[in-house]
Amino acid sequence: MRVLVTGGAGYIGSHTLIELRAQGHEVFVVDSFDNSSPEVLARVSELTQATVPFAEVDIRDRAALGDVMAAFRPDAVIHFAGLKAVGESSVIPLRYYDVNISGTLSLLDAMDKVGCKRIVFSSSATVYGLPQYLPFDEDHPCAPTNVYGQTKHMAEQVLRDWAAATPEASAVLLRYFNPVGAHVSARLGEDPSDIPNNLMPFVAQVAVGRREKLSVFGDDYDTPDGTGVRDYIHVSDLARAHTAALRFANGSIGAEAINVGTGQGYSVLEMVEAFARASGRDIPFEIVARRPGDIARSLAAPDKANKLLNWHAEKTLDDMCASTWAWQSQNPNGFREEG
Ligand code: NAD
Ligand code: UFG
């Protein structure tokens, strides 16, 4: 298939490009490089031994996006482009609504103009909000507790309405749990531009000596060791879920929300221990107050992905830690090192 990938230079998008090419798809990337750089695409080109064609375009620029769409004429779109920091989303909410909602509207409009009827969308487990029961299945009520989550929930609704109104259209709404890890080559990985918000990149920076110690946000949760439990999913498994979702979209109509997680939870302290084992480094940490808005546990029921997409997570916790360590230690400054 001809697949247009918005946000393809980002963390999850770049890993998905590798998988798309491995499956024989033809790709074209649209990215504003707001949170990435062309160096990422140069590395994907190197790993796949073929230049990745791209346009530096903001998805909200309807004219420019329309030109790309008309020239490439995709069979399907994978829509990663967006803003994703929970804390920042309550400080600059309008920008989050603009990029994540207006950007999605602009994209669907451009797709309509060329008759493209298939889309795979990056949603998030954050759409569920506080758990009424666990694991989260796709029927769990959605009540996001932050602006970022609201934008994902609203974009899902936009996509559902578009799919209902567009004959033969298909929208797959992938609700990611906690993506971690890096490409097996150690040439691609997560490269936060600022102090990492998320656990795994922070731990990796402590291990490599870029930060002194990890702050563990609370040890008094109702979990076995008192620290927060999450469903970490290896980014390469997540990338495979996208090619599986494309196959599914190709043979279905309507909108479908599907969790992408392993169903297995690990606590903060278990992650720290696993990372210390994988890296052979000490990970100094201190217990501090809970982070506002955090929940004790988040876990996916992955049954729907197993069944509809014929997809199962394969990588282990050690794979997640070892690949993150290889990426971090071989690229201590992320993608900024070369050039
Ligand atoms: P990322 O920031 O690494 O990638 C997003 C990409 O989109 C970047 O390359 C950025 O430059 C680009 N972009 C941003 N705004 C744009 C715009 N207006 N026009 C064109 N390009 C734009 O993030 P990621 O971790 O790869 O996440 C990808 C998607 O998955 C996002 O939509 C995110 O909300 C969602 N998601 C991520 C996580 C996670 O923990 N990483 C979890 C759940 C959902
Ligand atoms: N944590 C720490 N110290 C840190 C960072 C995190 O102790 O420096 C803890 C958190 O309290 C939590 C766990 O590590 O218990 C995981 O935290 P992350 O920030 O890595 O992940 P979250 O589950 O909080 O957030 C992620 C995504 C969000 C998404 C959310 C729900 O980053 O985008 O999952 O799907 F909204």
Side-chain angles (χ1 to χ4, degrees):
M1 289 168 83
R2 296 165 68 77
V3 186
L4 187 135
V5 184
T6 76
Y11 171 48
I12 304 166
S14 56
H15 289 80
T16 302
L17 290 174
I18 304 268
E19 189 58 29
L20 285 165
R21 282 199 154 165
Q23 301 286 321
H25 296 291
E26 193 180 332
V27 298
F28 190 96
V29 169
V30 170
D31 202 301
S32 62
F33 301 119
D34 180 77
N35 194 36
S36 58
S37 72
E39 168 63 15
V40 179
L41 298 179
R43 293 197 184 187
V44 174
S45 302
E46 158 205 309
L47 289 167
T48 59
Q49 296 180 334
T51 304
V52 176
F54 71 92
E56 182 170 352
V57 161
D58 189 307
I59 53 166
R60 293 166 296 172
D61 181 342
R62 289 181 181 236
L65 189 61
D67 288 348
V68 168
M69 206 62 89
F72 184 62
R73 298 219 152 240
D75 300 308
V77 170
I78 306 184
H79 180 28
F80 294 104
L83 302 179
K84 63 167 183 176
V86 172
E88 184 186 64
S89 72
S90 62
V91 180
I92 47 168
L94 297 186
R95 191 163 150 73
Y96 271 68
Y97 284 108
D98 192 28
V99 173
N100 293 0
I101 304 297
S102 307
T104 300
L105 293 173
S106 161
L107 179 63
L108 289 173
D109 190 39
M111 287 170 64
D112 278 350
K113 289 197 168 109
V114 298
C116 179
K117 291 171 188 279
R118 295 182 191 89
I119 186 165
V120 176
F121 173 64
S122 299
S123 189
S124 165
T126 196
V127 296
Y128 294 121
L130 300 176
Q132 293 182 9
Y133 57 85
L134 285 171
F136 287 115
D137 59 28
E138 292 82 355
D139 295 327
H140 187 286
C142 288
T145 57
N146 56 68
V147 172
Y148 166 66
Q150 289 286 7
T151 68
K152 288 292 173 186
H153 189 221
M154 287 169 70
E156 282 196 3
Q157 194 54 51
V158 167
L159 286 156
R160 283 179 199 282
D161 293 342
W162 169 82
T166 309
E168 288 164 31
S170 173
V172 184
L173 319 171
L174 294 181
R175 293 176 175 165
Y176 313 156
F177 279 69
N178 289 59
V180 296
H183 191 256
V184 66
S185 65
R187 297 291 288 157
L188 299 175
E190 191 171 8
D191 182 21
S193 50
D194 213 333
I195 300 172
N197 296 308
N198 297 115
L199 179 65
M200 195 64 148
F202 202 104
V203 168
Q205 291 191 4
V206 173
V208 84
R210 228 170 113 180
R211 306 202 181 270
E212 192 194 335
K213 64 181 172 213
L214 170 74
S215 296
V216 175
F217 298 142
D219 68 348
D220 55 354
Y221 285 106
D222 184 15
T223 61
D225 66 19
T227 64
V229 168
R230 295 291 182 275
D231 185 329
Y232 296 94
I233 167 94
H234 195 293
V235 66
S236 298
D237 279 338
L238 180 54
R240 275 194 308 106
H242 290 81
T243 49
L246 271 185
R247 260 194 308 277
F248 175 76
N250 211 13
S252 65
I253 53 169
E256 206 72 67
I258 303 179
N259 287 339
V260 190
T262 66
Q264 165 84 53
Y266 293 104
S267 73
V268 176
L269 295 183
E270 283 174 321
M271 294 301 285
V272 168
E273 197 184 305
F275 204 92
R277 202 169 50 232
S279 63
R281 299 287 176 98
D282 262 357
I283 316 285
F285 67 86
E286 68 172 335
I287 309 288
V288 302
R290 289 182 179 194
R291 182 170 63 179
D294 273 358
I295 57 179
R297 292 199 305 143
S298 171
L299 276 181
D303 312 59
K304 194 170 175 185
N306 299 163
K307 198 165 150 238
L308 291 189
L309 306 184
N310 192 23
W311 170 93
H312 295 80
E314 289 170 1
K315 304 276 193 185
T316 64
L317 177 60
D318 283 343
D319 295 331
M320 300 179 204
C321 294
S323 62
T324 304
W325 174 241
W327 155 252
Q328 181 70 60
S329 54
Q330 291 174 40
N331 306 266
N333 300 311
F335 292 106
R336 284 170 293 280
E337 216 163 30
E338 291 184 353

